[in-house]
Amino acid sequence: MEEKSKDHWALLNPGEENELEVFGYRTQNLRRALCLVTSILTCGFLLLVFYWKPQWRVWANCIPCPLQEADTVLLKTTDKFQRYMRKKVVCLYLSTLKFPISKNPEEPLVADRHSVINQAVLKPELKLQCVQVQKIRYVWNYSEKRFQKVGLLEDSNSCHDIYHTFGLGLTSEEQEVRRLVCGPNAIEVGIQPIWKLLVKQQSVKLHNLVEDHNKVQVTVMVKGKGLQELESRLLVPGDTIILPGKFSLPCDAILIDGSCVVNEGMLTGESIPVTKTPLPHSENTMAWKSHSSEDYRKHVLFCGTEVIQVKPSGQGPVRAVVLQTGYNTAKGDLVRSILYPRPLNFKLYNDAFKFIVFLACLGAVGFLYALGVYMYHGVSPRDTTTMALLILTVTVPPVLPAALTTGIVYAQKRLKKKKIFCISQQRINMCGQINLVCFDKTGTLTEDGLDLWGVVPTADNCFQEVHSFASGKDLPWSPLCAAMASCHSLILLNGTIQGDPLDLKMFEGTAWIMEDCSADYCKFGMLDSNTIIKPGPKASWSPVEAIAILRQFPFSSSLQRMSVVAQLAGEDHFHVYVKGAPEMLAKFCKSETVPKDFPQKLRSYTIQGFRVIALAHKALKIEKLSEVQNLAREKVESELTFLGLLIMENRLKKETKPVLKELSEAHIRMVMITGDNLQTAITVAKNSEMIPRGSQVILVEANEPEDFVPASVTWQLIEDQENGLGRNETYLNIGNSSVPDGTRGSCYHFAMSGKSYQVIFQHFNSLLPKILVNGTIFARMSPAQKSSLVEEFQKLNYYVAMCGDGANDCGALKMAHAGISLSEQEASVASHFTSKMANIECVPQLIREGRAALVSSFGVFKYLTMYGLIQFIGTSLLYWQLQLFGNYQYLMQDVAITLMVCLTMSSTHAYPKLAPYRPAGQLLSPPLLLSVFLNTCFTCIVQVCAFLYVKQQPWYCEVYRYSKCFLDSQSNFSTNVSLERNGTGNATLIPGSILSFESTTLWPITTINCIMVAFIFSKGKPFRKPIYTNYMFSFLLMSALGLTVFILFSDFQAIYHGMQLIPTLTSWRVLILVAVLTQFCVAFFVEDVILQNRKLWLWIKKECGFSSKSQYRNWQKKLAEDSTWPPTHRTDYSGDGENGFINPGYEDPEQIPRAKSELGGQTPEEHFWTRL
């Protein structure tokens, strides 16, 4: 264990997902020399150990020292995997630069006062210490005594700092300093050598993905020298670049002048144009990200995205300041997540290692047994060692570790044919354990496109008659019409209007048209870069000739709204139009303008499954165009006048209902996580039968503490609300429960909003597991909340799949055990799986293939284990009298049978129907262990009996004692004993130690045993198709069996000569065949009727009192026995008994943090009973 002394230890990336502990070490030459000598003496074995255990290498070669003096650092992850990495500390010298640098400690090297570079360079030596960890460079900060990341601008910079420090560019000297310290702006993925075949294909794809990033020509502003053209790899944080127009961004940058439209498909998965606005001018010292809250992304241009269109502000070209370079960028982070994926905590792979260790121990026993036998008989040390090593390698077939991936390879090929692509192959096996699937709603369960249904305008604080678009009537002119025509993020690109489908449908409903500003509109003071909206030929009469969009505040999923500042032609003042979630927008409107029946009207539409958008307006009291650019969003989006509701129809995809039904029949939980309205989500869930008919829906509403009132959570049956209960009655505590006893268990579903989830996470953390085991609807969820929810489900030991369209689901997709993106964009590499089918049919297909791959992997693993044990038993018996199988006997078992079985056993296709239970998720489960143990017993009994019984036959003689006489009478074999090695690595002594009645008897038994267990372990239904559908595997098994029987019963001297067998009586051969067939019948009966009998295991589980160790199972059991659960018509407060709990891990009200404490108990795969 490492000692965490103050100088020796530090944290890298504290609080982040990739947090690391770093320890300082200094290399000692004497230790290093001793390790080198030991490595030579052990033929490199020590180096192999050091490769596996880098911490041992550091401890052996180095001594602890303060980090400041270290030449080597040892890094350890702070997650549950506790992985170690060793890195060399590299020294950089600024004296190598071609211009003089001041050695005065008081004089900063770079103008940015926040930059770590000023604290990282030791003067007067001009030395800088750095380490590179997972492609990111860290430098030692002498002031703060810690390593800090470089290659980015510090977050502590304010808006004022960015404009005044970097707005005019860096000096050429500062650029050179930053290039040396930060490294090149390049995302370089080296192609692995041809011998590294396992990762070569991925590295080639990644190389092709990022190679163009490093070859972009950019225009940079250099202070005092004007504009310069240079290659993008020379960019440094703080450079000011000019955006010329259509442009692929080679770095992350902050927009400081002008606006632009970008395609962020590489990040979001949707090729929808996104408008970026310049960073606001602000004189305060607040950090620039905090100034814009969660919306700082609207000012940031991300690496890898495409600039489609630029709009200068009139003060010069569009400019941006380089924020991050290289692997610090958004694209670099994406590539790093592929190069260094998060380890899989899948018990299967840990169990496989334990199994291999057990077999290796068994081999060690055989090794000692062989040494004892051969030394007892006085065999030469060379031959004794050879034979002992042979039996040591027999028990652990070299292909055993690869057995767990064979099913994955075939499953991946089948998925590819179904247009489902995978970047994390090991996740396929994990898909076989999925028991909960989270779905996004819009674009996933429902159609991407929305159809306009109607608008409900307001007047005099009342809702007016609905204007239906189906009637064919034009939408009359009104402020509501102006809001629909202007409040959007659409752009005109090559004469085509592009943008968000919702915005596009809304705009088309007005029958207005969009065009670029021309000279005709300049008289209104409209800039050339403004977008102009004007009535189209089919639009209703309008007193307004045109509307110019002057400024846009883009839509934010956290704020749930967007707004624009516009100018009507002929007017000298400005208007604000806002659209967003009705519940959110109503808060920013003057109360007198919001109709009193707003909640009821909104609910009447959402309960029918409509998508509802609210629109609002206000006139700005400013007259100067220059003031518009300096307006704060908070000022713009306040004191609004409510205009009305836009009603849009969101139909279910035709594939949704059948797929959800299939998952339900397979007992796989389904959860909806959406950013849409709660009632709309509930309606969609009911229409899709995610919530079955007759089930109760309980609305969970939670409120933050206010003044002297603590945080509260209220439970209310949705049906009661539909009968007209008001808000005040909802909060009355009229009983513990009103859910009928017959509906307890899984017949009730909780529904809540993101706001309620946030409050419960913070103040009622003890309630969260109780809600999650029956929570089905989570609406108005932010991206951070989606990710947090998936993680909370995982803590309950669910295997979670997340299926989304990629827009706001990236965090949840990466967090899930299996993230499935329905996007066709480059962003799909951020999720584990990408489906080219834009519907959820891919989910059951993926689960089916995952189950088939898991069962196939288990089958091949069991087969190879039994193959090793069968050979081990046979070889051990022959060793007793200094004999062994011949080269061709081993060769047939190794190549003709085992190799072919391994290559084809896993190619059996998945069963078309999902079974209502999952396959075992671990190797160390009772059925699998019993299967291997009993089959080992069966083959041991048969081989031992045959070995002993053959000695009792009247025609038997000890051939190995009279080999010369016997061989002379049989053939002209050479009796010289020589050591040979066959193609599989098995060393044999031939031929005198091979030819015997024992080996002639045992070889057909062991060979047919191998064929037999391959058939028995090729389980078909319920997870795979029957074995006969795997034509190649069936043909190979039949061929191997036929060939073995042919060799057994043939009387050809050439065959016996080649296979090194002795002819025996036909009756003896028949007896051998009868023995193995009897063994097959017994083994098949035990495997199929007993070990694979799920009902039997459930009965045993019940009788023995075994219970699941999964958290969600335990909670379900507890809640089923709780007569007060689920609560309804009740309000709980954060101070009330066991329900009151303040989550100490809660920090940021805008985002749900990851819980820091590990949940007690074990992971879902840690016990066999979990799957039952």
Side-chain angles (χ1 to χ4, degrees):
M1 291 293 293
E2 293 285 352
E3 294 184 6
K4 299 180 180 179
S5 64
K6 183 178 179 182
D7 296 330
H8 172 58
W9 169 88
L11 267 182
L12 212 61
N13 308 319
E16 297 181 25
E17 186 179 358
N18 58 340
E19 183 181 78
L20 295 163
E21 290 181 291
V22 55
F23 303 89
Y25 286 89
R26 185 169 58 249
T27 305
Q28 275 200 332
N29 291 330
L30 179 59
R31 289 186 174 218
R32 188 177 179 185
L34 287 174
C35 288
L36 182 61
V37 171
T38 308
S39 299
I40 295 171
L41 293 176
T42 58
C43 300
F45 180 75
L46 183 63
L47 291 178
L48 188 62
V49 172
F50 284 165
Y51 177 80
W52 290 332
K53 297 286 185 180
Q55 66 270 32
W56 292 3
R57 179 180 178 182
V58 173
W59 296 335
N61 286 273
C62 311
I63 58 171
C65 72
L67 279 166
Q68 184 172 330
E69 302 169 11
D71 59 17
T72 301
V73 292
L74 183 65
L75 300 117
K76 184 174 74 171
T77 61
T78 56
D79 57 17
K80 54 190 171 186
F81 299 103
Q82 301 284 294
R83 291 164 295 142
Y84 282 92
M85 289 178 284
R86 169 190 170 273
K87 296 293 178 183
K88 293 292 291 181
V89 178
V90 178
C91 291
L92 302 176
Y93 293 92
L94 270 64
S95 56
T96 58
L97 297 175
K98 296 179 180 179
F99 53 89
I101 294 178
S102 171
K103 296 183 179 181
N104 182 0
E106 302 299 324
E107 191 173 332
L109 288 168
V110 294
D112 179 12
R113 58 190 176 89
H114 300 280
S115 177
V116 68
I117 297 175
N118 289 323
Q119 285 80 43
V121 177
L122 185 65
K123 294 183 178 181
E125 294 91 342
L126 297 179
K127 184 179 77 170
L128 176 141
Q129 293 175 294
C130 66
V131 292
Q132 188 146 316
V133 183
Q134 295 184 347
K135 307 290 187 180
I136 299 293
R137 182 177 289 185
Y138 299 85
V139 297
W140 178 255
N141 187 325
Y142 286 94
S143 300
E144 299 184 17
K145 304 297 182 185
R146 64 188 179 102
F147 280 103
Q148 280 186 267
K149 192 184 299 184
V150 289
L152 70 167
L153 293 184
E154 275 66 21
D155 289 341
S156 52
N157 279 296
S158 65
C159 297
H160 179 271
D161 292 331
I162 290 173
Y163 272 102
H164 289 80
T165 307
F166 309 110
L168 298 176
L170 303 174
T171 63
S172 57
E173 290 79 12
E174 185 169 333
Q175 285 179 327
E176 290 297 330
V177 171
R178 287 179 178 266
R179 281 175 195 144
L180 178 65
V181 175
C182 301
N185 173 39
I187 302 174
E188 295 172 333
V189 178
I191 297 179
Q192 299 291 344
I194 195 71
W195 52 272
K196 294 187 178 179
L197 294 175
L198 290 177
V199 294
K200 180 178 183 298
Q201 186 178 11
Q202 186 191 56
S203 67
V204 169
K205 289 181 178 178
L206 283 176
H207 178 80
N208 294 337
L209 176 69
V210 302
E211 65 173 340
D212 291 339
H213 161 275
N214 307 322
K215 300 177 181 178
V216 180
Q217 288 295 122
V218 292
T219 304
V220 178
M221 292 182 66
V222 180
K223 188 176 287 186
K225 294 184 179 180
L227 302 182
Q228 286 187 0
E229 290 277 338
L230 51 82
E231 201 175 66
S232 60
R233 65 182 296 110
L234 298 176
L235 287 175
V236 293
D239 269 333
T240 300
I241 59 174
I242 305 299
L243 304 182
K246 202 163 185 181
F247 182 63
S248 179
L249 282 157
C251 59
D252 288 355
I254 308 172
L255 194 62
I256 61 170
D257 192 12
S259 62
C260 61
V261 178
V262 298
N263 180 351
E264 291 189 342
M266 194 278 294
L267 296 177
T268 65
E270 294 184 348
S271 55
I272 294 171
V274 178
T275 301
K276 298 290 184 176
T277 56
L279 190 71
H281 284 274
S282 176
E283 296 299 324
N284 63 34
T285 57
M286 185 187 300
W288 71 273
K289 281 187 180 180
S290 303
H291 185 273
S292 300
S293 187
E294 273 195 18
D295 282 302
Y296 75 89
R297 295 171 63 93
K298 68 187 178 184
H299 311 304
V300 180
L301 308 171
F302 294 101
C303 178
T305 59
E306 296 283 336
V307 176
I308 304 172
Q309 197 177 73
V310 295
K311 296 180 179 179
S313 62
Q315 301 172 357
V318 178
R319 294 178 296 142
V321 172
V322 175
L323 175 64
Q324 297 177 133
T325 57
Y327 277 95
N328 291 293
T329 63
K331 188 170 184 175
D333 187 56
L334 193 61
V335 175
R336 282 199 317 123
S337 68
I338 299 170
L339 291 174
Y340 309 101
R342 195 174 65 172
L344 288 177
N345 186 26
F346 197 26
K347 197 67 163 53
L348 169 64
Y349 304 110
N350 296 329
D351 288 349
F353 178 75
K354 294 176 184 177
F355 219 87
I356 292 172
V357 169
F358 167 75
L359 293 176
C361 292
L362 188 62
V365 172
F367 178 83
L368 297 175
Y369 161 77
L371 283 178
V373 170
Y374 275 79
M375 290 172 67
Y376 175 78
H377 286 88
V379 179
S380 67
R382 177 187 174 189
D383 291 342
T384 298
T385 305
T386 300
M387 303 310 289
L389 289 174
L390 169 63
I391 200 168
L392 177 65
T393 60
V394 161
T395 52
V396 186
V399 293
L400 191 57
L404 294 176
T405 64
T406 53
I408 294 174
V409 173
Y410 285 107
Q412 188 174 20
K413 287 183 178 179
R414 292 193 293 267
L415 288 170
K416 191 173 181 180
K417 290 179 181 178
K418 296 173 183 176
K419 297 185 178 180
I420 302 172
F421 301 91
C422 171
I423 66 163
S424 181
Q425 292 182 341
Q426 300 302 323
R427 300 271 174 176
I428 295 177
N429 267 345
M430 196 169 275
C431 289
Q433 290 291 290
I434 294 297
N435 56 357
L436 185 148
V437 184
C438 300
F439 292 100
D440 182 34
K441 182 182 75 68
T442 306
T444 303
L445 298 175
T446 60
E447 293 287 353
D448 249 333
L450 297 168
D451 294 322
L452 284 179
W453 185 83
V455 291
V456 188
T458 59
D460 301 326
N461 198 23
C462 294
F463 283 110
Q464 304 299 302
E465 185 180 347
V466 177
H467 173 85
S468 174
F469 289 99
S471 64
K473 295 180 181 178
D474 297 333
L475 182 67
W477 165 257
S478 65
L480 180 63
C481 178
M484 289 174 61
S486 60
C487 192
H488 51 70
S489 57
L490 301 175
I491 65 165
L492 194 65
L493 188 63
N494 299 326
T496 305
I497 299 175
Q498 295 187 12
D500 186 276
L502 186 149
D503 286 348
L504 202 54
K505 282 286 183 182
M506 178 184 73
F507 183 70
E508 289 172 353
T510 64
W512 283 45
I513 60 174
M514 180 185 293
E515 61 182 46
D516 290 325
C517 187
S518 63
D520 295 337
Y521 302 106
C522 291
K523 58 185 177 181
F524 303 125
M526 300 175 182
L527 299 175
D528 291 343
S529 59
N530 296 144
T531 300
I532 302 300
I533 312 296
K534 67 177 186 178
K538 297 181 180 179
S540 59
W541 176 85
S542 167
V544 177
E545 185 180 344
I547 302 175
I549 301 174
L550 305 178
R551 191 171 177 197
Q552 182 187 107
F553 295 95
F555 175 78
S556 164
S557 57
S558 59
L559 301 177
Q560 298 178 0
R561 62 186 183 274
M562 76 159 290
S563 57
V564 295
V565 179
Q567 181 182 16
L568 307 186
E571 295 185 358
D572 54 4
H573 60 277
F574 308 101
H575 298 264
V576 172
Y577 296 104
V578 188
K579 80 169 190 299
E583 309 95 324
M584 180 63 71
L585 205 60
K587 298 177 184 178
F588 295 92
C589 294
K590 299 174 185 175
S591 57
E592 63 271 17
T593 66
V594 180
K596 293 181 180 179
D597 60 342
F598 168 76
Q600 293 79 6
K601 180 67 75 173
L602 174 62
R603 196 167 185 283
S604 69
Y605 288 111
T606 56
I607 202 171
Q608 299 175 61
F610 289 116
R611 178 83 177 270
V612 183
I613 306 293
L615 296 130
H617 157 264
K618 83 169 181 181
L620 283 176
K621 298 178 181 179
I622 60 174
E623 296 183 358
K624 293 182 179 180
L625 187 63
S626 58
E627 295 180 30
V628 171
Q629 299 301 324
N630 298 322
L631 283 172
R633 184 165 191 164
E634 295 74 18
K635 182 179 179 181
V636 169
E637 296 172 348
S638 61
E639 296 295 309
L640 303 170
T641 299
F642 191 82
L643 295 178
L645 301 174
L646 174 65
I647 315 298
M648 309 188 85
E649 197 171 10
N650 198 191
R651 298 188 182 94
L652 281 176
K653 291 180 178 178
K654 63 179 181 180
E655 300 86 2
T656 296
K657 203 168 180 178
V659 168
L660 296 186
K661 183 180 179 182
E662 183 180 6
L663 294 177
S664 178
E665 290 173 350
H667 296 173
I668 295 173
R669 264 194 73 186
M670 296 160 291
V671 171
M672 186 189 299
I673 309 177
T674 178
D676 205 348
N677 175 274
L678 178 59
Q679 189 56 60
T680 303
I682 293 172
T683 304
V684 170
K686 287 184 174 181
N687 292 342
S688 64
E689 296 186 5
M690 180 180 285
I691 297 177
R693 292 182 181 178
S695 296
Q696 302 284 345
V697 179
I698 300 172
L699 177 64
V700 182
E701 275 191 274
N703 292 294
E704 292 274 9
E706 295 179 3
D707 298 329
F708 300 105
V709 180
S712 63
V713 57
T714 302
W715 320 79
Q716 177 65 40
L717 279 174
I718 294 289
E719 284 73 15
D720 289 347
Q721 287 194 338
E722 290 175 3
N723 292 334
L725 265 76
R727 176 178 170 85
N728 294 334
E729 294 172 288
T730 301
Y731 283 82
L732 291 176
N733 185 0
I734 61 174
N736 289 331
S737 175
S738 65
V739 177
D741 292 338
T743 65
R744 291 192 181 279
S746 61
C747 294
Y748 63 90
H749 301 260
F750 290 120
M752 68 168 67
S753 66
K755 170 182 167 292
S756 297
Y757 173 79
Q758 181 174 310
V759 173
I760 290 170
F761 188 95
Q762 180 185 4
H763 298 284
F764 299 90
N765 200 263
S766 60
L767 274 178
L768 196 57
K770 299 181 182 181
I771 295 172
L772 294 186
V773 291
N774 280 94
T776 303
I777 306 298
F778 298 86
R780 294 295 187 211
M781 298 287 281
S782 69
Q785 288 169 344
K786 288 184 180 183
S787 181
S788 169
L789 179 61
V790 168
E791 188 176 20
E792 292 302 317
F793 275 127
Q794 290 173 334
K795 288 179 183 177
L796 291 175
N797 302 145
Y798 281 108
Y799 277 97
V800 185
M802 173 71 195
C803 183
D805 58 4
N808 293 312
D809 308 312
C810 288
L813 289 170
K814 290 182 72 173
M815 182 62 66
H817 291 112
I820 311 164
S821 171
L822 302 185
S823 162
E824 294 189 22
Q825 303 301 319
E826 264 187 306
S828 58
V829 296
S831 60
H832 313 121
F833 301 92
T834 303
S835 173
K836 298 296 182 181
M837 300 179 292
N839 59 68
I840 62 171
E841 282 183 334
C842 59
V843 175
Q845 289 178 356
L846 189 58
I847 295 174
R848 279 195 292 267
E849 291 296 348
R851 290 181 174 185
L854 194 58
V855 171
S856 297
S857 297
F858 277 28
V860 176
F861 197 90
K862 285 167 64 179
Y863 168 75
L864 287 173
T865 302
M866 279 307 304
Y867 161 70
L869 292 173
I870 289 168
Q871 278 198 345
F872 177 76
I873 294 168
T875 304
S876 299
L877 290 172
L878 292 178
Y879 270 25
W880 185 252
Q881 51 196 36
L882 307 185
Q883 293 179 318
L884 72 165
F885 294 115
N887 281 342
Y888 289 105
Q889 293 170 6
Y890 275 123
L891 193 63
M892 182 170 173
Q893 290 179 349
D894 288 350
V895 178
I897 299 175
T898 302
L899 182 60
M900 294 298 104
V901 165
C902 291
L903 292 176
T904 59
M905 181 189 277
S906 300
S907 62
T908 306
H909 287 231
Y911 196 72
K913 184 178 180 182
L914 280 174
Y917 55 91
R918 299 174 293 159
Q922 57 179 352
L923 285 169
L924 303 183
S925 60
L928 189 142
L929 294 177
L930 277 174
S931 175
V932 172
F933 175 75
L934 292 176
N935 275 285
T936 303
C937 292
F938 297 152
T939 191
C940 186
I941 291 169
V942 172
Q943 289 193 52
V944 171
C945 289
F947 181 78
L948 297 175
Y949 192 49
V950 71
K951 295 176 180 291
Q952 310 301 319
Q953 301 309 305
W955 39 262
Y956 171 80
C957 71
E958 295 179 340
V959 177
Y960 60 94
R961 291 198 177 188
Y962 312 103
S963 57
K964 183 171 178 57
C965 176
F966 186 84
L967 293 175
D968 288 342
S969 65
Q970 290 290 325
S971 62
N972 294 321
F973 281 122
S974 170
T975 57
N976 294 326
V977 177
S978 62
L979 185 66
E980 291 190 1
R981 183 170 297 274
N982 60 29
T984 61
N986 293 322
T988 63
L989 292 170
I990 67 167
S993 62
I994 294 171
L995 207 61
S996 69
F997 284 108
E998 287 87 352
S999 64
T1000 300
T1001 299
L1002 290 180
W1003 180 79
I1005 291 176
T1006 56
T1007 305
I1008 295 177
N1009 267 351
C1010 290
I1011 299 169
M1012 179 183 72
V1013 293
F1015 177 84
I1016 292 173
F1017 294 157
S1018 296
K1019 180 71 176 171
K1021 193 176 178 183
F1023 304 114
R1024 302 198 306 170
K1025 288 184 177 180
I1027 186 175
Y1028 60 78
T1029 61
N1030 188 343
Y1031 304 118
M1032 182 60 70
F1033 179 68
S1034 302
F1035 171 75
L1036 288 172
L1037 279 190
M1038 294 299 294
S1039 301
L1041 181 62
L1043 181 60
T1044 307
V1045 173
F1046 172 74
I1047 293 173
L1048 177 63
F1049 284 97
S1050 69
D1051 287 319
F1052 298 105
Q1053 183 65 29
I1055 292 177
Y1056 277 86
H1057 178 86
M1059 294 298 297
Q1060 296 168 292
L1061 300 172
I1062 302 174
T1064 58
L1065 296 177
T1066 304
S1067 58
W1068 180 249
R1069 304 179 207 179
V1070 172
L1071 189 60
I1072 291 173
L1073 188 61
V1074 169
V1076 293
L1077 288 178
T1078 303
Q1079 179 190 347
F1080 168 74
C1081 294
V1082 173
F1084 184 80
F1085 176 83
V1086 170
E1087 182 78 20
D1088 208 56
V1089 178
I1090 299 176
L1091 297 180
Q1092 298 295 331
N1093 189 332
R1094 186 168 181 268
K1095 292 181 180 179
L1096 174 64
W1097 285 107
L1098 287 172
W1099 178 81
I1100 294 173
K1101 173 190 171 184
K1102 183 178 178 181
E1103 292 299 314
C1104 296
F1106 286 106
S1107 60
S1108 171
K1109 293 187 178 181
S1110 296
Q1111 295 291 324
Y1112 73 91
R1113 291 282 192 194
N1114 295 334
W1115 277 113
Q1116 287 172 344
K1117 185 178 178 181
K1118 289 178 185 176
L1119 296 178
E1121 297 169 354
D1122 187 354
S1123 60
T1124 65
W1125 192 268
T1128 55
H1129 308 298
R1130 190 175 95 190
T1131 301
D1132 296 323
Y1133 294 94
S1134 58
D1136 289 348
E1138 62 177 10
N1139 291 330
F1141 181 82
I1142 302 298
N1143 182 5
Y1146 188 83
E1147 298 163 356
D1148 186 347
E1150 289 297 324
Q1151 295 186 351
I1152 299 296
R1154 183 171 301 135
K1156 300 282 178 77
S1157 59
E1158 292 291 338
L1159 193 67
Q1162 300 183 23
T1163 51
E1165 67 276 8
E1166 285 192 2
H1167 202 281
F1168 160 70
W1169 304 113
T1170 299
R1171 77 182 183 93
L1172 301 179

